[in-house]
Amino acid sequence: MADIALDADAVLRLAAALFEAHGTAPDDARELADMLVSADLEGVASHGCALIPMYLERIVAGSVLPSARPRVAEAHGALIAVDAGHGLGSVSSRFAVAAAVEAAREHGVALVSVRHAFHFGAGAYWARRIAAQGMIGCAFSNTRPLMPAPGGAQRVVGNNPLSIAFPSGGDPLVVDMATSASAMGKIRNAAAQGKAIPSGWATDDQGHDTTDPQAAIAGMLLPTGGPKGFGLAVAIDLLCGALSGGAVGKDVRPLYGDPAVPYDCAHAFIAIDAARANAGQGIAAQVARFAQDIRDSARAPGVDRIHAPGDLERARRQAARGRCAFDDGLVRKLNALAEQAGVPQRL
């Protein structure tokens, strides 16, 4: 399928209009659209507008409630638990991030966990929002089981992602990763485009390595770093699910399963008031200097440039020049959804 370059503002308007047409408040719809378009501009299509059809299907089926408002279920100083009520992940994440920043200003550090949640897009979107307040921002989520234990042949834990953003005085230094060798969204995109996936990303349902994305979707993702990635995924699952009083492991339902059954994932956000560090001098200068040291480090033969964490995504956004690259199949699908919903915008 050929890629089509589309104006990001036009995509954002269409996406927001689609969500509004399905009962989402205008501000919430625009936040959600911005979250998805931001991922596309940074080359993370697995967390971008390709998710819109699934999001809308779940809203129509009733497992995602666009009118649901998150609420604080428990608060113990800087430790807060939020109930998302199966609302949009962008809505509950915005609420939780604001609560984490407010509590960190008072206590120096805060952790806000979220139960009964829905997909929150790319974790970096939320970690950067905390970093924009001069704080270290952390975002975590659990997913339904997708990976086996080392030596196992059964899915027991999700490829639970983490993102940590450090303020640097300019663009933050951002570590953003899933705990699998690749995100399932990338495999689904490869399947939709008829492309093979690299060896080492996933196995088939018998545990054999595969480059067939359809076999991988029916099989298991492989953890990054083997036992290390698996252990990290387990820790994130508990940090999000157990701490919030939400779902852990197999109690998180398939994102692409029955659209009438709530996904029921859990999130966790940490805000650390980095401006209080170093006797009130903050950490931004040290972060910026360390990032530059990484970029200036010696290169291996054939390597033109060294990137600090977050550089590649920022470079992709700059190179995109405000345009999203969609394959023509996604464009047709979004236009068809707009027609069905009576939305006048088209791509």
Side-chain angles (χ1 to χ4, degrees), residues 149-306:
Q154 176 184 344
R155 297 173 171 187
V156 294
V157 70
N159 64 332
N160 304 327
L162 67 91
S163 184
I164 307 174
F166 295 84
S168 68
D171 291 317
L173 184 151
V174 183
V175 176
D176 185 54
M177 56 177 279
T179 47
S180 58
S182 178
M184 181 59 83
K186 292 182 179 180
I187 294 175
R188 289 189 181 279
N189 281 351
Q193 296 170 26
K195 297 179 180 178
I197 61 173
S199 176
W201 275 18
T203 73
D204 62 18
D205 59 2
Q206 299 300 308
H208 302 118
D209 186 84
T210 184
T211 60
D212 179 349
Q214 295 291 357
I217 291 169
M220 293 169 280
L221 296 182
L222 290 171
T224 185
K228 296 179 182 180
F230 175 79
L232 185 57
V234 169
I236 293 171
D237 215 327
L238 294 171
L239 182 68
C240 296
L243 200 57
S244 69
V248 172
K250 63 184 180 181
D251 291 331
V252 182
R253 310 311 300 164
L255 185 62
Y256 285 87
D258 185 342
V261 176
Y263 182 38
D264 206 21
C265 69
H267 305 144
F269 303 92
I270 300 173
I272 303 169
D273 192 351
R276 299 189 186 193
N278 295 339
Q281 298 301 306
I283 68 168
Q286 286 179 292
V287 174
R289 184 168 63 250
F290 188 26
Q292 196 57 48
D293 286 346
I294 294 170
R295 298 182 190 108
D296 293 340
S297 62
R299 301 188 297 274
V303 174
D304 294 327
R305 183 177 177 183
I306 301 292

Side-chain angles (χ1 to χ4, degrees), residues 16-321:
L18 280 170
F19 291 121
E20 279 193 60
H22 287 79
T24 306
D27 286 349
D28 294 342
R30 185 168 182 84
E31 175 85 71
L32 176 52
D34 182 74
M35 180 189 82
L36 299 174
V37 171
S38 178
D40 281 314
L41 288 172
E42 293 177 359
V44 190
S46 58
H47 291 65
C49 291
L51 294 169
I52 290 176
M54 180 269 290
Y55 276 37
L56 294 181
E57 182 181 27
R58 281 188 165 274
I59 289 172
V60 170
S63 67
V64 175
L65 307 174
S67 61
R69 310 318 297 176
R71 63 177 181 86
V72 173
E74 291 185 60
H76 308 284
L79 182 63
I80 300 168
V82 169
D83 191 325
H86 302 299
L88 291 164
S90 53
V91 173
S92 59
S93 296
R94 180 180 62 198
F95 180 89
V97 162
V101 168
E102 181 180 359
R105 287 200 176 107
E106 179 180 355
H107 300 285
V109 62
L111 190 154
V112 179
S113 57
V114 185
R115 67 188 183 222
H116 301 322
F118 184 60
H119 193 267
F120 72 175
Y125 184 86
W126 305 107
R128 283 197 303 257
R129 179 165 295 192
I130 298 172
Q133 301 300 315
M135 300 186 181
I136 298 171
C138 308
F140 308 90
S141 181
N142 65 6
T143 76
R144 60 122 169 185
L146 292 166
M147 303 192 303
Q154 176 184 344
R155 297 173 171 187
V156 294
V157 70
N159 64 332
N160 304 327
L162 67 91
S163 184
I164 307 174
F166 295 84
S168 68
D171 291 317
L173 184 151
V174 183
V175 176
D176 185 54
M177 56 177 279
T179 47
S180 58
S182 178
M184 181 59 83
K186 292 182 179 180
I187 294 175
R188 289 189 181 279
N189 281 351
Q193 296 170 26
K195 297 179 180 178
I197 61 173
S199 176
W201 275 18
T203 73
D204 62 18
D205 59 2
Q206 299 300 308
H208 302 118
D209 186 84
T210 184
T211 60
D212 179 349
Q214 295 291 357
I217 291 169
M220 293 169 280
L221 296 182
L222 290 171
T224 185
K228 296 179 182 180
F230 175 79
L232 185 57
V234 169
I236 293 171
D237 215 327
L238 294 171
L239 182 68
C240 296
L243 200 57
S244 69
V248 172
K250 63 184 180 181
D251 291 331
V252 182
R253 310 311 300 164
L255 185 62
Y256 285 87
D258 185 342
V261 176
Y263 182 38
D264 206 21
C265 69
H267 305 144
F269 303 92
I270 300 173
I272 303 169
D273 192 351
R276 299 189 186 193
N278 295 339
Q281 298 301 306
I283 68 168
Q286 286 179 292
V287 174
R289 184 168 63 250
F290 188 26
Q292 196 57 48
D293 286 346
I294 294 170
R295 298 182 190 108
D296 293 340
S297 62
R299 301 188 297 274
V303 174
D304 294 327
R305 183 177 177 183
I306 301 292
H307 298 276
D311 283 357
L312 280 173
E313 290 80 4
R314 184 162 53 252
R316 291 188 196 118
R317 180 181 283 271
Q318 291 169 349
R321 298 179 182 274

